């Protein structure tokens, strides 16, 4: 069973390998990477349960029955106590649209128990018909808070159905903890409560209500440079590096958020895929108000310096309590996500000595330990330029899609599959 430190106990000698059931999007880079890793390691393929099928209303039992016909080894008896893995629902507009519909007030399944702030209403909620009319538009943030509500409802449903089918199953990452990690407000509360160093929150840590209250909180806390983040955002969606000149009141916002304004309907907000610089109050306040309506988290902007004066942070993967694969994300801007054409480096190339790398690893391990029913996460760690103190900026339950990064000769998915199979002995392959 899962221990209180998020570690899945190794299998006993000669114990049969637990089947792996993955909830995800078949054929994408994540599920494909898992299957390739298992093939290379001589492990049987995982059963992939598509989110699309679940969101169409099909039961877990029905979807598994189809898989078991395609994989003869996966007879019903062999899946009595499987490992269950939830993968990212991103990358598919159809899945995004279905989750927005599931988050609608008109949806039949309104189980919000896993939503950390489920009692808060979503702004301008979309009905089922309106959700069905959404069109795929690259980068558009259609309705992030309603998407997250639908996502939490899907997690709750999977938790219920899996408990009924597989009472002895082990979740690699518990659905409730995935919901908590995905909401930055709740994740940072949990980290702070566990003594994990995080950037100082603005206000009470539950997110500002609007632009005016954010400005007032900055004034009261004498915090003139902050990061504002969409609570359930990913890939730098809804992130703003925001600063105010305390003397002149001039403000600057660096963000990936773009805006299309209309005369007869609300503005459209989208992830532009590149950084934009805003200095006019009307644009900045409009973006911040929109983020706050959908749930935002704001925290102290901690200066971080890398090679040649550039900024960097570290994506540190932790598997079963051990820090393993890591990459430094190096940028000439304050926002370091790699999809913004920032540079990846090893931690040594980024100028981190062995002691600093060890501190980052220990900090990341303590972050995942704050989620005691989860065994895998990518932890975003930044290091203060002045104190060299590591701080945890984010906990990503799907943060293991790291390219060209090895640990002890294995890629991320190969390492995870070996660890989960109990094939790592005394810290060595």
């Amino acid at each position: 069973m899962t221990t209180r430190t998020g570690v899945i106990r190794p299998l006993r000698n000669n114990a049969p390998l637990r089947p792996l059931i993955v909830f995800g999007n078949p054929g994408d880079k994540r599920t494909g990477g898992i299957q390739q890793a298992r093939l290379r390691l001589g492990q049987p393929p995982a059963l992939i349960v598509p989110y699309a099928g679940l969101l169409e209303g099909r039961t877990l039992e029905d979807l598994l029955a189809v898989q078991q016909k395609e994989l003869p080894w996966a007879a019903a008896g062999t899946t009595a106590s499987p490992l269950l893995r939830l993968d990212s629902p991103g990358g598919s507009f159809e899945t995004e649209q279905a989750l927005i519909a599931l988050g609608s007030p008109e949806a039949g399944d309104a189980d919000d128990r896993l939503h950390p702030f489920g009692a808060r209403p979503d702004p301008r909620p979309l009905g089922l018909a309106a959700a069905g009319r959404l069109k795929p538009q690259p980068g558009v943030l259609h309705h992030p808070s309603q998407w997250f509500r639908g996502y939490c409802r899907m997690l709750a449903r999977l938790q219920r159905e899996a408990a009924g089918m597989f009472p002895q199953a082990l979740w690699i990452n518990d659905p409730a903890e995935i919901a908590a990690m995905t909401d930055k407000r709740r994740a940072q509360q949990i980290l702070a409560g566990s003594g994990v160093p995080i950037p100082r929150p603005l206000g009470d840590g539950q997110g500002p209500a609007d632009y005016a209250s954010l400005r007032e909180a900055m004034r009261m806390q004498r915090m003139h440079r902050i990061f504002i983040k969409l609570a359930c955002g990913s890939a730098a969606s809804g992130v703003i590096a925001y600063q105010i000149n305390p003397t002149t009141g001039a403000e600057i916002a660096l963000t990936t958020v773009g805006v299309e304004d209309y005369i007869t309907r609300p503005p459209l907000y989208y992830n532009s895929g590149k950084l934009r610089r805003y200095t006019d109050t009307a644009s900045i306040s409009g973006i911040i108000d929109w983020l706050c309506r959908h749930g935002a988290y704001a925290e102290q902007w901690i200066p971080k310096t890398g090679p040649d004066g550039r900024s960097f942070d570290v994506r540190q993967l932790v598997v079963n309590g051990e820090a393993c694969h890591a990459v430094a994300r190096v940028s000439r801007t304050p926002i370091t996500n790699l999809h913004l054409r920032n540079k990846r480096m090893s931690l040594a190339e980024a100028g981190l000595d062995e002691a600093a790398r060890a501190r980052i690893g220990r900090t990341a391990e303590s972050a995942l330990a704050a989620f005691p029913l989860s065994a895998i996460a990518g932890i975003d760690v930044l290091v203060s330029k002045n104190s060299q103190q590591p701080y945890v900026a984010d906990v990503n339950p799907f943060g293991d899609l790291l390219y060209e990064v090895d640990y002890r000769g294995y890629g991320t998915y190969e390492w995870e599959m070996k660890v989960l199979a109990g094939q790592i002995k005394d810290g060595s392959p």
Side-chain angles (χ1 to χ4, degrees):
M1 61 181 295
T2 305
T3 73
R4 295 303 297 173
T5 56
V7 174
I8 294 178
R9 295 185 188 279
L11 295 167
R12 297 186 300 274
N13 289 338
N14 301 319
L17 188 68
R18 282 180 178 268
L20 176 64
I21 299 174
V22 178
F23 303 95
N25 295 316
D28 70 5
K29 294 177 181 178
R30 297 172 182 276
T31 57
I34 290 170
Q35 296 291 45
Q36 291 169 13
R38 293 178 72 84
L39 178 64
R40 286 193 291 267
L41 295 171
Q43 298 178 0
L47 281 76
I48 309 296
V49 177
Y51 284 131
L54 292 165
L55 292 167
E56 289 168 1
R58 299 173 66 184
T59 66
L60 176 57
E61 185 174 11
D62 287 343
L63 291 167
L64 282 175
V66 172
Q67 288 280 23
Q68 288 167 347
K69 289 179 182 177
E70 296 177 357
L71 297 174
W73 67 268
T78 66
T79 54
S81 57
L83 289 173
L84 305 178
R85 175 184 171 113
L86 284 154
D87 227 319
S88 170
S92 164
F93 170 73
E94 290 74 20
T95 299
E96 178 188 5
Q97 184 178 35
L99 288 171
I100 292 172
L102 184 56
S104 168
E106 299 173 2
D109 186 352
D111 185 349
D112 290 333
R113 61 190 167 84
L114 298 189
H115 192 311
F117 299 93
R120 298 184 181 182
D122 298 324
R124 300 190 183 100
L126 299 178
L128 295 177
R133 290 193 295 269
L134 295 175
K135 303 297 183 184
Q137 297 170 275
V140 170
L141 303 169
H142 285 292
H143 203 306
S145 59
Q146 188 167 315
W147 172 91
F148 183 57
R149 187 177 297 276
Y151 181 54
C152 290
R153 289 175 178 177
M154 183 184 70
L155 292 178
R157 177 193 154 197
L158 279 174
Q159 191 180 58
R160 291 195 310 267
E161 291 194 19
M165 290 187 66
F166 309 119
Q168 302 302 315
L170 288 178
W171 288 101
I172 294 174
N173 286 354
D174 182 78
E177 292 194 343
I178 285 181
M181 292 180 200
T182 306
D183 190 310
K184 294 175 174 57
R185 297 164 295 187
R186 183 61 185 140
Q188 298 302 88
Q189 286 177 344
I190 291 171
L191 293 173
S194 300
V196 178
I198 63 170
R200 185 161 59 107
L202 181 71
D204 61 5
Q206 296 193 23
D210 53 24
Y211 172 80
S213 64
L214 177 134
R215 288 284 299 252
E216 176 62 15
M218 292 176 72
R219 186 186 68 81
M220 293 293 293
Q221 293 182 235
R222 299 180 182 274
M223 198 183 293
H224 307 303
R225 303 176 81 219
I226 64 171
F227 269 82
I228 309 165
K229 304 175 182 180
L230 184 63
C232 59
S234 62
S237 293
V239 174
I240 305 175
Y242 179 60
Q243 57 185 312
I244 302 170
N245 185 312
T247 302
T248 66
E251 52 189 329
I252 300 173
L254 293 175
T255 180
T256 59
V257 177
V259 187
E260 286 189 11
D261 290 305
Y262 301 93
I263 296 174
T264 59
R265 58 189 175 97
L268 186 69
Y269 296 90
Y270 60 94
N271 184 354
S272 68
K274 60 183 180 181
L275 280 183
R276 294 169 176 259
R277 186 176 188 270
Y278 297 95
T279 58
D280 62 297
T281 296
S283 296
I284 294 172
S285 63
I287 294 172
I288 291 176
D289 281 343
W290 181 81
L291 289 176
C292 291
R293 285 195 295 271
H294 285 277
Y297 179 78
E299 65 188 10
Q300 180 184 14
W301 178 339
I302 295 178
K304 47 191 186 293
T305 300
D308 303 322
R310 289 174 285 180
S311 297
F312 82 97
D313 65 6
V314 173
R315 167 62 59 86
Q316 174 68 68
L317 184 62
V318 180
V319 176
N320 237 30
E322 179 184 353
C324 46
H325 304 72
V327 61
R329 307 182 300 185
V330 184
S331 174
R332 297 195 181 278
T333 77
I335 300 177
T336 57
N337 298 70
L338 291 175
H339 78 285
L340 297 176
R341 297 184 177 86
N342 292 319
K343 188 173 183 179
R344 70 174 65 232
M345 293 184 178
S346 71
L347 273 58
E349 290 171 333
L352 293 165
D353 60 22
E354 186 174 342
R357 297 198 295 270
R359 286 196 299 272
I360 289 170
R362 290 194 298 270
T363 300
E365 290 168 356
S366 69
L368 185 55
F371 298 88
L373 300 180
S374 296
I376 297 174
I379 313 297
D380 291 345
V381 182
L382 56 88
V383 180
S384 169
K385 175 179 69 175
N386 298 321
S387 68
Q388 298 301 301
Q389 165 72 50
Y391 294 90
V392 174
D394 199 11
V395 179
N396 188 333
F398 314 120
D400 54 0
L401 186 61
L402 300 177
Y403 300 108
E404 301 174 6
V405 182
D406 286 346
Y407 181 71
R408 300 184 186 175
Y410 295 95
T412 56
Y413 293 126
E414 288 179 317
W415 181 257
E416 289 171 2
M417 295 304 108
K418 286 183 70 69
V419 170
L420 295 174
Q423 296 174 352
I424 306 298
K425 305 298 182 184
D426 300 321
S428 302

